[in-house]
Amino acid sequence: GKDGYRHFMEKELHEHPSVIGQTLQRVVDPVTREVVLPELPFALADIPRAVITACGSAYYAGYVARYWLEAEARLPVDIDVASELRYRNPPLTEGGLALLISQSGETADTLAALRGLRASGQHVMSVLNVETSTMARESDVVLGMDAGPEISVASTKAFTAQLSVLAALTIAMGRARGVMTPARQQHLMAALLDLPSEAERIFQLGEQIRAMAHIVAKARDVLYLGRGSCFPIALEGALKLKEISYIHAEAYAAGEMKHGPISLIDDTVPIVAVAPSTILFDKTLSNLQEARARGGKILAFTDETGAERLREIAEAVIVLPHVDAFVAPILYTIPVQMLAYEVALLRGTDVDQPRNLAKSVTVE
Ligand code: F6R
């Protein structure tokens, strides 16, 4: 049941900290803090490149992993939505890694992409929540997550579980390829293992997120901006808002604003910024200043350092715990999904069963 929560989505949002913790327990040795993966029928060190594919939110998890694997493991990565990848017929190197991500393990396009990638000589590794699924049976390796059943049609806890697994895989890959120092490994692992307690603190922000939701709920269109590994979190925020509140939202990499979307901005368009104080913060800030100058209302998720700079231009600033840039996309997912939930409540939609959607998309 819903354990006293109003919706499965609310209950599942509150499971983020425990699901991240349980998932990490499964892939990290508690004593050595080394990543432990299931036995692999290939060596990570021999993987020349990866192709990542998935649909919807799972695709955005893969998109974060692309930033991580490139930067931390120096692995060349291609990524596309499964509905495109399966028909693209890209040239692939034999022995590459196909990384599939799916909560259900039954999504038709992702499954078809898996079969195509296998046929072109890729090692198939799937990050799945349902380990008895069709995709599990057809994969060389399954990286499970401990998200438990996800009932809400809109994905929440499965997303942070996917990211937790992919972060651990990134560390394992970086080490196997000899490009990540033990010091870097320990630093990233410490940041990951701190996440469950940092995530718990997000729920103290409920009142502020509800206040922000009142602004978003009045809008017809909303823009989400992010950069680097938080750009996919902007995409996730916009998808979730569309999906459950039926408000039109788009996400842009903040640097793309001046190439078109800035012409949309006036005082009716809230701009949700996913902006931790990483090395890209100043760039994002100047994009937000440009949007502000055109009347845009800035609603920011940031940390204390970022808040000092954002307060003068933003209508609302929500201050999250400061975390390492590596894990910021995981932490920032939580308030961004909570915002969509609160807006949906204000709009009175059917939160757990949004119109026209199914939990598992088993037809193309
Ligand atoms: C969004 C959402 C969908 C799924 C997508 C993939 O909230 O839930 O976008 O992420 O349909 O589903 P799985 O992960 O089952 O392949």
Side-chain angles (χ1 to χ4, degrees):
K2 295 179 203 157
D3 293 353
Y5 290 105
R6 290 163 291 181
H7 298 97
F8 282 106
M9 185 174 179
E10 186 182 34
K11 175 183 175 221
E12 290 164 3
L13 281 166
H14 279 82
E15 289 175 327
H16 274 299
S18 60
V19 161
I20 295 167
Q22 283 153 27
T23 299
L24 289 174
Q25 263 173 35
R26 187 169 166 154
V27 286
V28 181
D29 183 297
V31 178
T32 62
R33 292 188 154 202
E34 295 284 333
V35 175
V36 265
L37 298 178
E39 190 150 353
L40 306 178
F42 53 88
L44 287 183
D46 296 342
I47 295 293
R49 53 187 307 126
V51 52
I52 302 180
T53 191
C55 301
S57 288
Y59 166 70
Y60 300 144
Y63 207 152
V64 173
R66 195 244 302 243
Y67 284 93
W68 284 341
L69 286 165
E70 287 180 347
E72 301 290 348
R74 311 302 301 147
L75 185 73
V77 177
D78 178 25
I79 178 164
D80 206 349
V81 290
S83 56
E84 285 299 313
L85 188 90
R86 64 179 289 197
Y87 298 116
R88 255 175 56 194
N89 195 19
L92 294 165
T93 315
E94 186 89 16
L97 180 68
L99 190 53
L100 291 291
I101 305 157
S102 176
Q103 189 284 127
S104 63
E106 302 294 346
T107 300
D109 282 318
T110 314
L111 178 60
L114 181 158
R115 289 173 177 159
L117 289 164
R118 168 183 293 294
S120 35
Q122 306 301 293
H123 298 298
V124 175
M125 179 185 271
S126 300
V127 177
L128 304 172
N129 196 29
V130 182
E131 290 176 60
T132 52
S133 58
T134 310
M135 284 178 60
R137 284 198 301 277
E138 298 193 20
S139 299
D140 297 320
V141 196
V142 175
L143 303 184
M145 23 166 164
D146 277 309
E150 195 179 62
I151 310 293
S152 153
V153 164
S155 186
T156 53
K157 59 179 179 166
F159 184 77
T160 51
Q162 286 158 357
L163 288 177
S164 302
V165 171
L166 292 164
L169 176 66
T170 300
I171 294 174
M173 188 66 91
R175 293 294 294 149
R177 292 169 62 77
V179 297
M180 185 184 289
T181 63
R184 182 77 183 150
Q185 172 187 13
Q186 279 163 29
H187 175 80
L188 299 182
M189 186 54 81
L192 260 181
L193 294 175
D194 274 348
L195 267 179
S197 62
E198 302 291 10
E200 202 60 67
R201 292 167 62 191
I202 302 293
F203 301 109
Q204 297 164 8
L205 303 170
E207 209 50 58
Q208 292 176 50
I209 294 171
R210 269 188 290 283
M212 193 184 268
H214 278 276
I215 301 172
V216 173
K218 290 189 203 96
R220 203 190 60 169
D221 307 285
V222 181
L223 281 178
Y224 282 71
L225 299 182
R227 273 184 184 258
S229 63
C230 279
F231 168 48
I233 308 311
L235 289 162
E236 164 65 6
L239 175 65
K240 215 112 291 182
L241 190 74
K242 281 184 274 219
E243 185 178 14
I244 62 172
S245 78
Y246 315 150
I247 294 174
H248 171 239
E250 296 297 332
Y252 281 92
E256 273 295 292
M257 285 288 289
K258 55 166 76 71
H259 299 287
I262 199 161
S263 69
L264 286 170
I265 291 178
D266 61 26
D267 59 9
T268 67
V269 183
I271 297 150
V272 178
V274 184
S277 61
T278 64
I279 48 163
L280 294 170
F281 180 82
D282 285 352
K283 306 263 179 204
T284 306
L285 184 67
S286 80
N287 303 133
L288 293 173
Q289 279 158 341
E290 287 157 11
R292 175 71 216 141
R294 278 134 191 110
K297 285 197 194 78
I298 313 293
L299 311 177
F301 292 104
T302 186
D303 48 34
E304 195 47 65
T305 311
E308 279 164 27
R309 317 267 308 279
L310 278 165
R311 279 199 184 101
E312 54 191 73
I313 60 161
E315 185 103 354
V317 178
I318 294 185
V319 179
L320 309 192
H322 177 83
V323 291
D324 189 272
F326 180 64
V327 299
I330 307 182
L331 190 75
Y332 280 64
T333 295
I334 303 172
V336 162
Q337 291 179 345
M338 285 167 72
L339 177 65
Y341 175 74
E342 294 295 340
V343 174
L345 283 186
L346 291 169
R347 300 280 287 215
T349 58
D350 188 348
V351 175
D352 282 337
Q353 291 286 339
R355 66 189 182 201
N356 311 337
L357 285 168
K359 180 66 181 160
S360 181
V361 184
T362 53
V363 290
E364 193 178 333

